[in-house]
Amino acid sequence: EAGVAQSPRYKIIEKRQSVAFWCNPISGHATLYWYQQILGQGPKLLIQFQNNGVVDDSQLPKDRFSAERLKGVDSTLKIQPAKLEDSAVYLCASSSTENTGELFFGEGSRLTVL
Amino acid sequence: DAKTTQPNSMESNEEEPVHLPCNHSTISGTDYIHWYRQLPSQGPEYVIHGLTSNVNNRMASLAIAEDRKSSTLILHRATLRDAAVYYCIPPGGTSYGKLTFGQGTILTVHP
């Protein structure tokens, strides 16, 4: 079974530029999550989708971050304009509807903002 | 929100057992206790979860205190591949399936 796919693995941009990350969850998983992990910290939830609807985006900085999951499968996370403090690993995870607390994470996309 | 307390770091020797503690004194009666780990340069991976009784799987064992205010993740024979950050997920931190991560315990395994 294929895992959660993310791209790109690495991205370096200058502040005020924009960037987009892509995630393909495990087939059949209805719930998709984006987490931000700053170096030395645990991951922090940015947004949670159930199919193509948003369940929780309370910690998403909506002035610069946006995310969509138009067809209830793939998802993109965009940052525009980026700030230095956005340097982090962006992790995508998915889980099935029979959620027992087991989330499956991708390897992450590491963003460096200069 | 519920909080957990874990040691910042622990060390072990290869092939020895490791006991990783977690305090979750604000747990409620229906909260599951979840453990995840994160290997270097990888996303977190599920290890184990439990409610009241001790649980075992191929990766580890989870011992839950009778009052459920603490739990211990047990790696029976540590390998170098077990070197990772181990996260005890706060009770209530899995509402709607989401996970709320703390700082975790950095486990170092010596050959």
Side-chain angles (χ1 to χ4, degrees), chain B residues 11-26:
Chain B
E11 297 186 17
S12 174
N13 294 317
E14 202 174 8
E15 298 194 4
E16 289 185 355
V18 181
H19 291 233
L20 297 161
C22 179
N23 289 321
H24 29 78
S25 58
T26 59

Side-chain angles (χ1 to χ4, degrees), chain A residues 5-16:
Chain A
Q6 292 188 245
S7 67
R9 286 296 311 277
Y10 305 93
K11 189 74 175 179
I12 301 173
I13 61 173
E14 296 188 350
K15 60 184 179 183
R16 291 187 287 275

Side-chain angles (χ1 to χ4, degrees), chain A residues 38-106:
Chain A
I38 293 172
L39 186 65
Q41 300 181 16
K44 181 184 83 171
L45 180 69
L46 292 177
I47 189 167
Q48 177 184 351
F49 292 94
Q50 181 76 18
N51 295 309
N52 60 351
V54 176
V55 174
D56 183 351
D57 63 356
S58 57
Q59 298 196 82
L60 186 73
K62 298 180 184 65
D63 58 333
R64 297 183 301 103
F65 286 65
S66 65
E68 61 183 13
R69 193 184 183 200
L70 293 177
K71 297 183 179 179
V73 181
D74 293 6
S75 177
T76 56
L77 175 70
K78 297 179 181 178
I79 308 173
Q80 182 179 14
K83 293 185 175 181
L84 297 177
E85 58 261 37
D86 298 332
S87 294
V89 175
Y90 291 86
L91 295 159
C92 179
S94 69
S95 66
S96 66
T97 51
E98 297 81 30
N99 181 52
T100 58
E102 184 172 0
L103 274 61
F104 296 84
F105 284 82

Side-chain angles (χ1 to χ4, degrees), chain B residues 81-103:
Chain B
R81 194 190 175 278
D82 291 321
V85 180
Y86 286 79
Y87 296 99
C88 171
I89 305 300
T94 58
S95 60
Y96 303 108
K98 71 179 184 184
L99 302 177
T100 303
F101 290 84
Q103 290 292 104

Side-chain angles (χ1 to χ4, degrees), chain B residues 9 25-26 32 38 49 54 57 76 91 93 104 107:
Chain B
S9 63
S25 58
T26 59
Y32 278 84
Q38 188 170 22
H49 75 282
N54 296 344
N57 67 19
H76 295 286
L107 175 65

